[in-house]
Amino acid sequence: MRKIIILYVFFGGLFLNSCTKFLDLPPKNQRAVETLADLKSVLAGYLDAFARSNTQPIYGVMPVVTEAHQMMFEAHSDNFDFEANMSQYVNVANPGANPHAKEAFYADKLLLNDRVTIDAIWTKYYEVIGFLNALIDQSEELREADPAELKRVQGEMLVHRAYYIFKLQQYFAPMDNEELGIPLYLHTGKEVVGIKMKRKASSEIYAVITEDLKRALAYFQEVGPNAGYSRFFNERYIQNLLAQVYWFKAESSSKKAEDYIESEKYALAAIDGTEGYIPKTVVSFRNVQKNLDPEYPAVYMKSVGFGTVAPIYGSPYAAPANLKVNQDFFNSFDAGDLRKETYFVGNVHSHNWPDDTFSKTLHLHLFTPEEAYLILAESYYRNGKADLALTTLNKFKSFRGAVAKSGLSGELLLDEIIKERRKEFYCDTDKRWLDMKRYKVGAMERNLRFFNKNYNIKVEPGDYHYALPIPLSELQENPDIFPNEGWTTIVF
């Protein structure tokens, strides 16, 4: 078998130095990969971060949604009453940096001007895609490898790559413009020379994602996992992600008639056998959040930075604290809803959430059965099965101690599903912002004062704010890419 060299020139460098220059860069590192064991060893340096919270992957970020990432999407959303909280946010009592630095932090976050975080998402996610491209390409050359184990490793890589491609598409592609999908190329090596990294049609991007996930699912159903190695290579997780992809795509410019049929199928498979693991009390709900239930069927990750989400969510020690939320949102909770007791103290945000500890570190779960349940409810509705949709929604409400609904149909039923998603995914990574984007809901207007100047930010449903700005470095270096219109950078 010929010797294989993996060159670590990936999309991180590609997008910082323009797509067309990516193979002109000198390799950061190289390693001879001659066997499947070599390939698994290289990949393990990335996968280890999904098993241990104190480990940084060799490419990408840990957690896959960072603290800055989560706080930015919360600041882009409508759960909190940011105007009412300003005296808590920009406050000399806040621990950490001096008040001037804190004012800059909040100005960027609350005026939707956080280019540093947006650029980091673009760079780091493409970096991992490039890393996986190289390994997937090289895996095809391992002719003497054990076929079953090779499929497990390839399946693992395909699911991870699909996840990052999907998130970039969700973040940077408009819902209603088919031609403005993300740039993407899936190979490495000599065949890349001379290509132009233009934005692809969104339908092409979704085709890549679904084909990779279905290939990985077929591999899993053929060979099963390697229990000590596999992270995303899990039948339930793959089905969950497929349900998410088809569900999101179904309201985009790339929608097809069968999308909700597919999301129904995969969501139904993803929840199979999970009802007993879904928390139904305040204690079990908190325990899942803190990863104290090892049987809970989802991928768990947490950060290790003390206090790192406190600037938006509040601190138990000083300001910000007693943060006010959108009053209509607060009023949407039933009195007996366990989430109300968990999320709030009185009518303000509990500083114990979203991490449910005093340490204010970020906790997240990927591929949860709760997400699949709510996708299933909506898919039933969209597929003309209103009775099943309402039954599924009410079953889900029963898990949380919420009051069942009766007689809902049409837009009232859909509206109730959207409200349930908002309550379930409060402070959960990017979910509320993506729901606002997908459903075209939640007009926002903010009148805020920073550095002795008044700023007005108005966000209308479906407007340009729901496709994040392409990083300036990419626009400057890549002549083949087209920007997302509307964005201007505020210079304070």
Side-chain angles (χ1 to χ4, degrees), residues 258-273:
E258 64 269 22
D259 285 341
Y260 280 118
I261 296 172
E262 293 294 290
S263 65
E264 176 186 323
K265 176 179 73 174
Y266 288 114
L268 195 58
I271 68 169
D272 184 40

Side-chain angles (χ1 to χ4, degrees), residues 33 59 81 104 208 255 356 378 411 418 430 435 438 471:
V33 175
Y59 284 93
D81 186 343
V208 168
K255 61 187 175 185
D356 196 40
E378 183 176 342
E411 290 299 315
I418 296 170
D430 53 17
D435 276 7
R438 182 179 180 274

Side-chain angles (χ1 to χ4, degrees), residues 167-178:
K167 300 315 289 186
L168 287 167
Q169 175 71 12
Q170 285 185 306
Y171 296 161
F172 291 96
M175 290 297 288
D176 300 327
N177 191 326
E178 175 65 11

